[in-house]
Amino acid sequence: MKKLRQVNIPLKDMPHQWYNILPDLPVPLPPPKDPDEGPSRLASLPKLMIGECLKQEASQERWIDIPEELIDIYAQAGRPRPLFRALNLEKKLDTPARLYYKSEFFSPTGSHKANTALAQCYYAKKQGFERVTTETGAGQWGTALAYGSAVVGLKCTVFWVRSVYNWKQDRRRFMELLGAEVFASPSPKTESGKKIWEKNHEHVGSLGIAISEGLEDSMRDPKAVYCLGSVLNHVLMHQTIIGLETQKQFKIFDDYPDIVISCFGGGSNFGGFALPFVGDVLTKGKKIKFIAAQSEVAKNLQGEYRFNFADYAEYTPLLKMYTLGHKIEMKPIWGDGLRYHGASPIISLLRDKGYINTIAYPADERYVFEKAQLFTQVEGWLPAPESAYSVACAIDEALKCKESGEKKVIAFNISGHGFLDMPGYEKVLGLK
Amino acid sequence: MKKLRQVNIPLKDMPHQWYNILPDLPVPLPPPKDPDEGPSRLASLPKLMIGECLKQEASQERWIDIPEELIDIYAQAGRPRPLFRALNLEKKLDTPARLYYKSEFFSPTGSHKANTALAQCYYAKKQGFERVTTETGAGQWGTALAYGSAVVGLKCTVFWVRSVYNWKQDRRRFMELLGAEVFASPSPKTESGKKIWEKNHEHVGSLGIAISEGLEDSMRDPKAVYCLGSVLNHVLMHQTIIGLETQKQFKIFDDYPDIVISCFGGGSNFGGFALPFVGDVLTKGKKIKFIAAQSEVAKNLQGEYRFNFADYAEYTPLLKMYTLGHKIEMKPIWGDGLRYHGASPIISLLRDKGYINTIAYPADERYVFEKAQLFTQVEGWLPAPESAYSVACAIDEALKCKESGEKKVIAFNISGHGFLDMPGYEKVLGLK
């Protein structure tokens, strides 16, 4: 029988609920807490966060309805997105494994980040806010929030890790075209940024510092609210639409994954793709190996499992997570979206309980980008630098199957495209 | 009843035949002919062109089967692609018109050009060629052929109009990542290029010159064959999959267009989108207004209708077309894909018979890019600079409906995305 190249589900079958894994976790998720000293961060959360998101953050409801208007906005953003069978790649690798990839690169801003950006902007608008503020590392999240706010009618301010701000000029222009204001971080616009910026105007920045700036900017303006693009429970939950669609699409393929892979920075695309499958493992007895593909410079899943701040300036409560410490300095990499000190509390707990495997790829990125190039030459789609880690890991697993002769089913997420990130490929692969 | 935001057809319903309009034209299409002097160009065509494409070029069969393997490759390239209802744009414009746009930007290389690139590479490989050569203007076609040749396993050489080669660095890197070799044109690599290049190493080039270079390069190498990305009958026919899908999608919307719009350089995306609807007009008595959106610097549809060469160096036969003359010098524009001296013979004949309207937008492009920005801010998708003309024209027609109160149905094609073309937006809109 002819092998299907890709499947999609009709718009009417797009999931109308997000999956909240909290009630299904093997043990309760440790709630965020205050540090022993200083003002209460927990007490300030209702002022810092969108009300609906804060509610979702601690919800014990397994299924949370996606508002009807948001379903429409998702459709406008091109959801549902196809699941591809990587037949060309299988042939090229000569592997008995069956490879499938999800196409989050079809989003208007080129990545999965739109899934939660649209949700957060929708709720922020509904609550009466006029502006959203945020940080961004690779720029995918900043672009997504710029888009989300344009579509629902909000202003948007982005603090962008300077090392990336400097080289992703086209992505910056895209954010501005969408109407956002964008600052390199650390910036002189906030107290927390200014302290660092004054010592070194060219400080490369970090996601932790940029989060502090975004938080501070919103705290000073009652009409503004801060949005976070990863780590938190509600963010991963918004992203579960990826995995929920994928499950429906696997049914059409009449197949099911043995291995589920994605790249991992704070955990939003990994969580969104993997958590519905983790749910199958926890509640339906399925057996799946989950692999989070990281960079050697930010292998937070190999850090300590402890309470830690989510930002540099310690504005956030403490979250129980695998962490490298919130003051760590990490070398810039082209796949900058992976460069964050801590892992999402949900994924951290699952890792602590033995459900999540991880691999860290070398900092020079040649190995990873060459795998992405091979993928692009046979499958056609150009992964974002971060998604290249997902591709590399899937290829590695497929090659292991070639050696062992095992016909494993490998599912991987391509969280975004690389069209606005070409300088990374240029430098690493030596393109002219 | 709730309004649908977008529809798609399942993979199995993707058209399995292209539509060849030749037998349905109101009068027979004048065949290509030789000039009065010099060697016979017609006689050399079998050496210059892929055999199957040459056959298709003159076929009088209304429906031409898409090979099964190519159907698979189209699926791999993400076809079928959704048709969107522009509800956000309608609201923003406060127009009674209903607007629909086709999403060719979902292609792996970001434009409709992949539809014929994949077909031509498939046929070239089957005929035993090892390399394809071509020209490119905006770079969309060169990227698509680089991709097509990578996927089927051919080498690829691209001669790229220098004025664009110089500013689209990221697109150049993408072609190289796909494995293509790329030269700025006019180049010293060919006799026809060298003549011009020696007088001026920084000559901005033109599509006509680059075509000559691509042709010459393939003529010198028996293992190479030349591929053209627009103008010719078989190219437009390969592109009809766009319009054929759109017709099926309009049925699901239970709607039908009064106005069909796209941007127009040589005619491939316009033809691919419009010709199935022109077929409805010619054979089913439908009434549709067709508008080709052009640039003032290359308004070939307002030129003379006469026999003319398709290239600068006169390697091609004479084609009967609307033309500005094959030696004309045209000012570079950011929407460079529209900068060609002649219009496809099929569209030219239809224009001569009164079926095709046209509009030419100002050379400074601010008007057009501002419309594209408005579109992106409400619908989310970033059009290629060329597709921005299609968007601008659709918005203009929608605003006319607002004035007149007419509830017209406007369908427009977005032939590609602009992620690899941001410097154009930057310069025209003054982004930082």
Side-chain angles (χ1 to χ4, degrees):
Chain A
M1 205 188 105
K2 200 176 139 180
K3 288 174 186 167
L4 274 175
R5 293 269 168 168
Q6 49 119 322
V7 306
N8 206 349
I9 49 174
L11 184 53
K12 67 174 175 51
D13 291 346
M14 186 169 73
H16 278 50
Q17 295 179 312
W18 293 301
Y19 171 54
N20 176 22
I21 199 168
L22 260 54
D24 292 333
L25 288 176
V27 295
L29 189 72
K33 67 175 194 183
D34 270 323
D36 294 337
E37 293 174 11
S40 170
R41 278 75 166 173
L42 291 175
S44 66
L45 281 184
K47 277 181 283 180
L48 281 183
M49 286 177 65
I50 297 161
E52 190 63 32
C53 294
L54 186 59
K55 213 173 95 188
Q56 290 173 354
E57 189 66 15
S59 171
Q60 287 292 323
E61 294 293 319
R62 184 172 287 114
W63 296 101
I64 307 254
D65 286 342
I66 307 174
E68 270 307 308
E69 289 156 280
L70 187 53
I71 293 276
D72 270 358
I73 300 177
Y74 276 171
Q76 179 63 45
R79 299 216 76 92
R81 313 199 189 290
L83 180 68
F84 286 84
R85 170 90 184 265
L87 284 169
N88 291 359
L89 183 60
E90 291 172 20
K91 194 176 163 193
K92 180 81 179 176
L93 300 175
D94 189 24
T95 176
R98 299 195 291 286
L99 275 71
Y100 296 87
Y101 56 94
K102 181 70 169 172
S103 56
E104 287 301 306
F105 48 79
F106 279 138
S107 139
T109 57
S111 90
H112 73 291
K113 293 287 188 189
N115 300 325
T116 185
L118 291 167
Q120 294 188 46
C121 288
Y122 168 78
Y123 289 128
K125 178 82 179 176
K126 223 176 150 186
Q127 202 179 327
F129 290 110
E130 293 176 11
R131 184 168 71 100
V132 287
T133 71
T134 199
E135 85 299 336
T136 196
Q140 296 277 16
W141 167 242
T143 321
L145 200 70
Y147 154 65
S149 52
V151 165
V152 310
L154 292 166
K155 289 179 195 164
C156 179
T157 305
V158 179
F159 292 90
W160 193 352
V161 175
R162 179 172 281 103
S163 62
V164 191
Y165 175 94
N166 284 340
W167 70 268
K168 291 203 181 173
Q169 295 183 8
D170 283 353
R171 190 175 280 286
R172 199 164 77 219
R173 290 165 190 155
F174 185 34
M175 290 187 209
E176 284 171 11
L177 185 141
L178 286 164
E181 57 172 3
V182 188
F183 301 107
S185 166
S187 81
K189 298 275 164 192
T190 65
E191 288 308 310
S192 53
K194 204 172 176 178
K195 274 183 209 162
I196 308 166
W197 178 81
E198 277 179 345
K199 285 183 207 154
N200 177 7
H201 283 21
E202 294 309 313
H203 191 290
V204 294
S206 75
L207 217 43
I209 298 169
I211 292 174
S212 298
E213 293 207 271
L215 276 167
E216 195 187 315
D217 183 28
S218 76
M219 286 190 277
R220 291 181 308 200
D221 176 1
K223 290 178 180 166
V225 68
Y226 175 74
C227 300
L228 192 73
S230 192
V231 178
L232 299 181
N233 305 342
H234 71 276
V235 176
L236 270 66
M237 188 191 72
H238 296 160
Q239 294 292 359
T240 58
I241 192 156
I242 306 172
L244 294 169
E245 279 182 12
T246 305
Q247 288 180 323
K248 290 190 174 201
Q249 290 161 332
F250 261 118
K251 276 195 186 143
I252 303 175
F253 271 121
D254 193 20
D255 216 341
Y256 192 85
D258 299 303
I259 305 177
V260 166
I261 292 167
S262 202
C263 57
F264 193 103
S268 84
N269 104 79
F270 181 90
F273 186 54
L275 288 181
F277 291 102
V278 175
D280 282 0
V281 170
L282 295 172
T283 67
K284 294 180 187 164
K286 292 279 188 185
K287 285 195 194 317
I288 303 175
K289 181 179 183 180
F290 298 93
I291 312 177
Q294 299 207 291
S295 163
E296 192 64 43
V297 310
K299 44 181 178 178
N300 55 42
L301 286 170
Q302 296 182 51
E304 287 181 87
Y305 187 42
R306 64 173 170 92
F307 277 96
N308 193 202
F309 293 102
D311 74 318
Y312 183 90
E314 309 181 353
Y315 291 140
T316 71
L318 294 164
L319 302 175
K320 179 112 186 242
M321 54 187 184
Y322 273 88
T323 179
L324 301 167
H326 67 296
K327 296 280 186 185
I328 191 178
E329 301 236 338
M330 291 167 282
K331 181 178 169 282
I333 50 171
W334 299 105
D336 199 88
L338 307 185
R339 204 168 65 98
Y340 181 61
H341 68 273
S344 137
I346 288 174
I347 305 296
S348 292
L349 181 146
L350 288 166
R351 171 149 175 78
D352 188 56
K353 296 294 172 199
Y355 292 96
I356 309 289
N357 301 276
T358 184
I359 180 169
Y361 285 99
D364 86 351
E365 297 182 287
R366 170 163 281 278
Y367 180 86
V368 163
F369 282 18
E370 280 178 352
K371 292 283 187 294
Q373 179 174 25
L374 184 151
F375 175 83
T376 304
Q377 289 191 349
V378 294
E379 295 287 323
W381 310 102
L382 178 73
E386 292 75 21
S387 316
Y389 287 72
S390 180
V391 171
C393 183
I395 290 177
D396 286 348
E397 292 299 315
L399 291 174
K400 282 182 203 165
C401 289
K402 185 179 175 182
E403 265 185 43
S404 68
E406 287 173 292
K407 292 183 183 177
K408 287 193 179 161
V409 176
I410 301 170
F412 58 112
N413 188 32
I414 300 193
S415 55
H417 67 58
F419 291 127
L420 292 172
D421 319 283
M422 286 306 293
Y425 281 106
E426 174 210 354
K427 298 288 189 253
V428 175
L429 297 176
L431 307 173
K432 274 173 285 182
Chain B
M1 206 186 107
K2 200 176 138 180
K3 287 174 187 169
L4 274 174
R5 293 269 168 167
Q6 49 119 323
V7 305
N8 206 348
I9 48 174
L11 184 53
K12 67 174 176 47
D13 292 345
M14 185 168 74
H16 278 49
Q17 295 179 312
W18 292 300
Y19 171 53
N20 176 22
I21 200 169
L22 260 53
D24 292 334
L25 288 175
V27 295
L29 189 72
K33 68 175 193 184
D34 270 324
D36 295 337
E37 292 173 11
S40 170
R41 277 76 165 173
L42 290 175
S44 67
L45 281 185
K47 277 181 284 180
L48 281 184
M49 286 177 64
I50 298 161
E52 190 62 31
C53 294
L54 187 58
K55 213 173 95 189
Q56 290 173 354
E57 188 66 16
S59 171
Q60 287 293 324
E61 294 292 321
R62 183 172 289 115
W63 296 100
I64 307 253
D65 287 342
I66 306 174
E68 271 305 308
E69 289 156 279
L70 187 53
I71 293 276
D72 270 358
I73 300 176
Y74 276 171
Q76 179 63 46
R79 299 215 75 89
R81 313 197 190 291
L83 180 69
F84 285 84
R85 171 88 184 267
L87 284 170
N88 292 359
L89 183 60
E90 290 171 21
K91 194 175 162 193
K92 180 81 179 176
L93 299 176
D94 190 23
T95 176
R98 298 195 291 285
L99 274 73
Y100 296 87
Y101 56 93
K102 180 71 169 172
S103 57
E104 286 302 305
F105 48 79
F106 279 138
S107 140
T109 58
S111 90
H112 74 290
K113 293 288 187 188
N115 300 325
T116 185
L118 290 167
Q120 294 188 46
C121 288
Y122 168 79
Y123 289 129
K125 177 84 178 178
K126 222 175 152 186
Q127 203 180 327
F129 290 110
E130 294 175 9
R131 185 169 71 101
V132 288
T133 72
T134 199
E135 86 298 336
T136 196
Q140 296 276 16
W141 166 241
T143 319
L145 200 70
Y147 154 64
S149 52
V151 166
V152 309
L154 291 166
K155 289 179 193 163
C156 178
T157 306
V158 179
F159 293 90
W160 193 352
V161 175
R162 178 171 283 104
S163 61
V164 191
Y165 175 95
N166 284 341
W167 71 267
K168 291 202 181 173
Q169 294 184 9
D170 284 352
R171 190 175 280 285
R172 198 162 80 219
R173 289 164 190 157
F174 185 35
M175 290 187 209
E176 285 171 10
L177 185 141
L178 287 164
E181 57 172 3
V182 187
F183 301 108
S185 167
S187 81
K189 298 276 163 192
T190 66
E191 288 308 311
S192 53
K194 203 173 178 179
K195 273 184 210 162
I196 308 166
W197 178 82
E198 277 179 345
K199 285 183 208 153
N200 178 7
H201 284 21
E202 294 309 314
H203 191 288
V204 293
S206 74
L207 217 44
I209 297 169
I211 293 174
S212 298
E213 292 209 89
L215 276 168
E216 194 187 315
D217 182 29
S218 76
M219 286 190 276
R220 291 181 307 198
D221 176 1
K223 290 179 179 163
V225 68
Y226 174 74
C227 299
L228 192 73
S230 190
V231 177
L232 299 181
N233 305 343
H234 71 276
V235 176
L236 271 65
M237 188 191 73
H238 297 160
Q239 295 292 1
T240 57
I241 192 155
I242 306 172
L244 294 169
E245 279 183 10
T246 305
Q247 287 180 323
K248 292 190 174 201
Q249 291 160 333
F250 261 117
K251 276 194 188 146
I252 302 175
F253 272 119
D254 193 20
D255 215 340
Y256 192 85
D258 299 304
I259 305 177
V260 166
I261 292 168
S262 202
C263 57
F264 193 104
S268 83
N269 104 79
F270 181 90
F273 186 54
L275 288 180
F277 291 102
V278 175
D280 281 0
V281 169
L282 294 172
T283 67
K284 295 180 187 164
K286 293 279 188 186
K287 286 197 195 315
I288 303 175
K289 181 177 182 181
F290 298 94
I291 312 178
Q294 298 206 291
S295 163
E296 192 64 41
V297 309
K299 45 181 178 177
N300 55 42
L301 286 170
Q302 295 182 52
E304 287 181 85
Y305 188 41
R306 64 173 170 90
F307 277 96
N308 193 202
F309 293 103
D311 74 318
Y312 183 90
E314 308 182 355
Y315 290 139
T316 71
L318 295 165
L319 303 175
K320 180 110 184 246
M321 54 187 184
Y322 273 89
T323 180
L324 301 167
H326 67 296
K327 298 279 187 185
I328 192 178
E329 302 235 338
M330 290 167 283
K331 181 177 169 282
I333 51 172
W334 299 105
D336 198 88
L338 307 184
R339 204 169 63 99
Y340 181 61
H341 68 273
S344 138
I346 288 174
I347 305 296
S348 292
L349 181 146
L350 288 166
R351 172 151 175 78
D352 188 55
K353 294 296 172 200
Y355 292 95
I356 310 289
N357 300 276
T358 184
I359 180 168
Y361 285 99
D364 86 351
E365 297 181 287
R366 171 164 280 275
Y367 181 86
V368 163
F369 283 18
E370 280 178 351
K371 293 283 188 292
Q373 180 174 25
L374 184 150
F375 174 84
T376 304
Q377 290 191 348
V378 294
E379 295 287 323
W381 311 101
L382 177 72
E386 293 75 21
S387 316
Y389 287 73
S390 179
V391 171
C393 183
I395 290 177
D396 287 348
E397 291 300 314
L399 291 174
K400 282 182 202 166
C401 288
K402 184 180 176 179
E403 266 185 41
S404 68
E406 287 173 292
K407 293 182 182 177
K408 286 192 178 163
V409 176
I410 301 170
F412 58 111
N413 189 31
I414 300 193
S415 55
H417 67 57
F419 292 126
L420 291 172
D421 319 284
M422 285 306 293
Y425 281 106
E426 174 209 354
K427 298 287 190 252
V428 174
L429 297 177
L431 307 173
K432 274 172 284 179

